[in-house]
Amino acid sequence: MGKTVERRLTRAEVPEDLTWNLDDLFVSEEAWEAELIEIERQIAQFHRFKGTLHSSSKALLDCLCAKEQLSMRIIKAWTFASLKQSADGSDPINQANMAKFSSLRTKSIAALSFINSEILAFEEGTVEQYLKEEPRLAAFKKNLVDLLQTKKHTLSPETEEALAALGELQGSPYQIYQMTKLADMQFAPIINGEGNELPVSFALFESRYEFSPDTDVRRKAYHSFVATLKQYNNTMAATYATEVTKQVTLARLRKYDSVTHMLLEPHQVTPEMYNNQIDIIYKELAPHMRKFAQLKKRILGLDKMLFCDLKAPLDPEFNPETTFEEASKIIMDSLKVMGPEYTNIIERGFKERWVDLADNVGKSTGAFCSSPYGAHPYILITWQNNMRGCFTLAHEFGHAGHFFLANKNQRIMNVRPSMYFIEAPSTMNEMLLGQHLLSTTVDKQMRRWVVLQLLGTYYHNFVTHLLEAEYQRRVYALAENGIALTAKTLTEVTGAVLSEFWGDTVEIDDGASLTWMRQPHYYMGLYPYTYSAGLTASTAIAQLIQEEGQPAVDRWLEVLRAGGTLKPLELLKHAGIDMSKPDPIRKAVKYVGTLIEELEKSYQ
């Protein structure tokens, strides 16, 4: 039998129907280039507003409306460049366009930085007076009020302008991380049991080998993966330390109580809500997850439970395959409970090529949904023809449905709710998909499979991301105490977080302690903990929909349409749950416990 070598397609070789339709943003690269010139022209006109904002409510309104128009153009142009880069980061044209756009965005931030500075310099009570005088300012009220609350953290106009001009530099740790990870890292191929050579890449490891039922392949791929990570650990530690130093320095400059206070401010949540989320799950979920790890070790007949075995499939022979078309039908059926307005949006997404599902060289790992204002959402996923992808797709369509409704019902500055809420609509769709599949199947193996998928979601949000959140919390504490963040330190912190959570049920090896190198989220402020917040909320609301039906659905749709007009605590109270209390978190942890019990029973 001859050896087969699997080759990944280049972007140019991918059939068009497996890619997203970017024509809905710009029909060509030339049209995009022309738009950049137009954006540049608009940026140049802002000097006419400089020094006038305090003169009248009309002057303030004109400037804010011009800024709104510019934001709409910038978002569309940025989305086009960034989606092309995500689809193929190895293409030098995409890299160059991203750089070109990046410098334009920095220029716009610098040119517009006077707006906030001038508003913050208004005499006490001016904003309130303007809001009374000019009804059309009402749409900007929330932003104006939020801005005034940052007054105590704002520096002199000159300093703010200097910081704005260094915007591109402030984003560079993330850029360097992405380049290291997606462009420079090369992984040694592995040989499977049949003697075939299999390629290893960041994407293939995280989307395929980690879930491989073949223990030999899974562990070999992990060793190849870890061997390359080790070669880059000092570079990546220096990159991440720069990011943390930047945040800590900004927090001190801006006189926040701590870097955590600064990073939580845009989330509009209290430190208690943040700490509750991490403390309760880290402590109370651990016993359930240890039980899960022991069950997995027993069922898979493993000699020992390694960190790289945690995502091994429990029922490897049973991996229901599904085409993209079948998956889209199942998702549509599961979302019927949400009513026609919502399901029509999702249906359009499938029909109008909102989704990029191909695998090709240079394509970004993972899955995401980008929802530019004034256009429809776009979803990136690497479709592997299995039902697990169905859950990922339902998740991303949850983001799409949310932002489609928010974009339609709000103006651009009022669309985005806090990060704390962002993962609720997406995980909600996974809950609905799980409920739908459980209610339509009596087959024991299929039911077990669905429970495993739901556990996969909880694992992702309540384990993977939560352990990252705990790691992040410790790293910021070290940084604030002036401790250097070397590769050794970061590796030790990761190892400690994992060991405390898993106890002696999982072997935490050197590679496990390098998990900190795998996540782009650390470059996005306090992002990881929000995954568990969103899933806590959607777990509670999915239960309410089961109990109450239509009234709960109606409240949920109102919350989605509200976009960013309410704070997350108010949004969720409107949906029917109170996240300032530990109860919803405990309830969600308990629910995970019941899933693990059901799983254990299915093996008796």
Side-chain angles (χ1 to χ4, degrees), residues 350-366:
F350 284 117
K351 285 191 174 143
E352 296 172 18
R353 277 178 49 214
W354 295 5
V355 185
D356 196 273
L357 56 141
D359 177 41
N360 57 260
V361 174
K363 183 164 170 174
S364 181
T365 60

Side-chain angles (χ1 to χ4, degrees), residues 46-66:
F46 271 81
H47 68 274
R48 71 176 196 267
F49 296 113
K50 223 173 182 167
T52 70
L53 303 190
H54 65 287
S55 63
S56 71
S57 53
K58 174 88 170 69
L60 178 63
L61 177 70
D62 289 347
C63 179
L64 292 179
C65 287

